[in-house]
Amino acid sequence: MFSASYDREVSGCSERHMRRVISGNVQCLQRMCLQRKLEAHAGCVNTVSFDTEGGDVLISGSDDQQIMLWDWQTGCVRLRFDSGHANNVFQARMLPHSSGSRLITCTADGQVRLVDLPEGAGSLSVSRTLLGEHVGRAHKLALDPLNPAHCFYSSGEDGQVVHYDLRCGADPSQQQQQAGSSSSSSSSSSSSSSSSS
C-alpha cells in the first residue's frame, strides 16, 4: 500500500488505481477507525462533502434545512446558516476554484440554489440565489468535469437533468431560462440512456 501511495505522488498514478489498491488492502481496512462524530444538526443528515481546495472543511446538509461548514481538524462548526429552502437539504457541494466562497444546493422542495459566502462574514451575510426548480424533489448535483468552477447539473423526480452555467449571469430568471432550454435536450438524452440499461 505504501508503495502505491509513493507511486501516486511521484509518478502521477491515477486516483482510480489508488482506490483499487487501498480498498483491496486488508491491513489498511483493518486499521480504519472512527475519527470523530460531528453532532449539531436537528434532523437527518442527507449530505456530506469536503471542500474542493484544501479538504479541511466538511459541508453537511440536513432535514433541519441547515447547512453547516465544519472544521475537520477540530470537529467544530465554522459556519451554520439556513439554506433558504422550504424542505430537506439533499445535497450541498462547494464549487472548485471559489476559495471556499460558493456552494450549490438542491432539496426536497425541488429548488437548486447558489450560495455565496463572503469571506470572514457570519451567517447573516450569506446570500442565496435561486437558479432553477424541478417539479418534485431535486436529488443530486454533479459538477461538469470540463468546467467544474462554473457548470453543473441537477437531477430531480421530474425526470429532468438540467445544466447550469453560472457565467450566464446572476439573474435567476435568466438562469432559469437557460436551464429550462438545456433541460429539454438533457432530459431526452438521459431518458434514452436510462432506457438502454
Side-chain angles (χ1 to χ4, degrees):
M1 178 183 87
F2 296 109
S3 64
S5 298
Y6 179 79
D7 289 345
R8 177 179 176 214
E9 294 302 316
V10 174
S11 67
C13 175
S14 76
E15 185 177 337
R16 176 183 284 171
H17 173 72
M18 189 67 184
R19 275 194 217 137
R20 255 188 274 132
V21 168
I22 290 175
S23 65
N25 188 302
V26 176
Q27 291 97 3
C28 179
L29 296 175
Q30 289 172 338
R31 286 196 316 263
M32 287 187 177
C33 62
L34 176 67
Q35 289 188 352
R36 67 179 46 87
K37 288 184 181 182
L38 306 175
E39 300 179 33
H41 282 289
C44 174
V45 176
N46 300 311
T47 181
V48 291
S49 62
F50 280 100
D51 71 292
T52 55
E53 291 168 18
D56 59 337
V57 176
L58 183 75
I59 301 106
S60 64
S62 168
D63 287 358
D64 62 9
Q65 300 164 20
Q66 298 286 305
I67 295 175
M68 296 186 197
L69 277 63
W70 302 81
D71 183 314
W72 178 246
Q73 296 300 318
T74 65
C76 297
V77 176
R78 283 188 181 177
L79 180 65
R80 173 189 198 138
F81 61 94
D82 182 72
S83 65
H85 291 283
N87 217 319
N88 311 5
V89 177
F90 283 153
Q91 196 159 27
R93 297 188 66 165
M94 188 77 68
L95 288 173
H97 313 296
S98 69
S99 301
S101 66
R102 298 184 106 185
L103 293 168
I104 49 175
T105 63
C106 68
T107 62
D109 63 10
Q111 296 180 349
V112 177
R113 291 181 180 259
L114 172 68
V115 179
D116 285 303
L117 308 167
E119 191 174 332
S123 61
L124 295 177
S125 59
V126 171
S127 81
R128 302 155 198 86
T129 305
L130 177 64
L131 298 176
E133 196 163 355
H134 287 269
V135 177
R137 298 174 181 193
H139 285 279
K140 296 288 181 191
L141 300 167
L143 299 175
D144 185 325
L146 298 178
N147 198 344
H150 302 288
C151 299
F152 66 96
Y153 298 86
S154 68
S155 64
E157 289 181 355
D158 56 5
Q160 300 290 308
V161 174
V162 183
H163 177 257
Y164 298 89
D165 187 336
L166 298 175
R167 296 169 296 189
C168 290
D171 177 19
S173 62
Q174 178 187 1
Q175 184 66 52
Q176 179 62 36
Q177 224 176 24
Q178 193 275 333
S181 64
S182 296
S183 69
S184 58
S185 62
S186 298
S187 65
S188 61
S189 64
S190 67
S191 297
S192 62
S193 64
S194 63
S195 62
S196 63
S197 39

